[in-house]
Amino acid sequence: MRHPTAALALLAIATAVPAATPAAPPRTMDEILAAAPAEHWRTPDPDNLLVMTLETGPVVIELSPEHAPEHVANLRTLAREGYFDGLTINRSQDNFVVQWGDANGEDPAKAKPLGAAKAALPAEFSTRIRDGLAFTRLPDVDGWAPQVGFSAGFPVGRDPQAGTQWLAHCYATVGAGRGNAPDSSNGTELYVVTGQAPRQLDLNITSVGRVLDGMHRLSAMPRSLAPGGFYTQPALRTPILRIALASALNEAERPRLQVMDTGSASFDALVEARRNRADAWYLRKAGHIDLCNVPIPVRPAPDR
């Protein structure tokens, strides 16, 4: 028989052990966004922002000089000289892209002059992985690249063996149209992905950035049933009032946006929240996410 004193001592030890702290419930994306501190948001460089003005309102595109430096430099020249002003949106293909530029661009006698912009650029389907260029890798397997993740605020594919990196064709990605020759793009014909991510375009065409704001204006363009989704009647084309660099606009006209830093702890938490949804509606946690299903949050810049 155990001595009463020993039994009391054991009871005291047992009652002194603190109860396990219940695990904090997983946070939803909305909760993560609400709690993200100011330093987890970045303000895009106005010299990397194109502001397209349509009759329905503005579309804001962030360019990526890290991934397409020569195309971005040419686009800055085209925008500064007003090349796109008065041109049109000429194509809307269902579940694919919306495209804009010079409808007469194939006719040298009618094509709009390029001014100081270059008529020919090298293909920038990928760029070399550079030291110091941050990369937030997704843990999930991807069918289009050895590694995928986020770099300089954009969804990217990577091939460590080749030492290359490229912008992935996700929804809202903006690219430079080309002909059959790899080096036949110069930024005068731009398109935006409006359908399911056409990742087969990766490494086949130069991507220059992505739409931060105004995608609803582009994705709502009437679809054309003609081959390639091109509008066969000029009256169906949507006029572009202006495309300008934000840095060239006065303060009142500049978009005031912030983008979540894809290298921040808040973004890491957001990725995990999307991989394993904690919302009450979800009954099964997927444990996987596709690169193009990870949102990169954009918000109005807080008042100064």
Side-chain angles (χ1 to χ4, degrees), residues 213-240:
D213 187 48
M215 266 304 294
H216 60 290
R217 297 187 171 97
L218 297 173
S219 61
M221 292 290 165
R223 274 40 169 183
S224 170
L225 299 180
F230 287 93
Y231 297 123
T232 55
Q233 300 176 35
L236 297 176
R237 300 168 187 158
T238 298
I240 297 170

Side-chain angles (χ1 to χ4, degrees), residues 54-91:
L54 306 176
E55 291 175 345
T56 54
V59 176
V60 182
I61 299 166
E62 183 176 21
L63 301 173
S64 180
E66 295 84 2
H67 297 101
E70 297 224 27
H71 279 74
V72 168
N74 219 41
L75 281 165
R76 288 178 181 141
T77 300
L78 291 167
R80 288 190 182 107
E81 296 189 354
Y83 171 80
F84 292 101
D85 302 359
L87 297 183
T88 52
I89 293 175
N90 306 314
R91 177 188 188 190

Side-chain angles (χ1 to χ4, degrees), residues 5-52:
T5 304
L8 289 172
L10 289 172
L11 179 61
I13 292 171
T15 55
V17 175
T21 304
R27 293 187 295 166
T28 65
M29 176 175 161
D30 287 343
E31 291 169 335
I32 292 166
L33 292 178
E39 60 268 23
H40 289 181
W41 297 87
R42 64 179 178 86
T43 300
D45 183 344
D47 212 32
N48 289 335
L49 291 182
L50 288 180
V51 181
M52 174 195 285

Side-chain angles (χ1 to χ4, degrees), residues 144-163:
W144 301 98
Q147 296 179 357
V148 291
F150 299 86
S151 182
F154 295 87
V156 300
R158 267 196 176 197
D159 185 341
Q161 284 194 326

Side-chain angles (χ1 to χ4, degrees), residues 264-287:
S264 68
S266 291
F267 187 73
D268 288 343
L270 181 147
V271 171
E272 186 55 31
R274 303 297 285 188
R275 291 181 75 246
N276 289 293
R277 298 292 294 266
D279 316 47
W281 185 89
Y282 282 87
L283 304 178
R284 175 184 175 274
K285 295 183 183 297

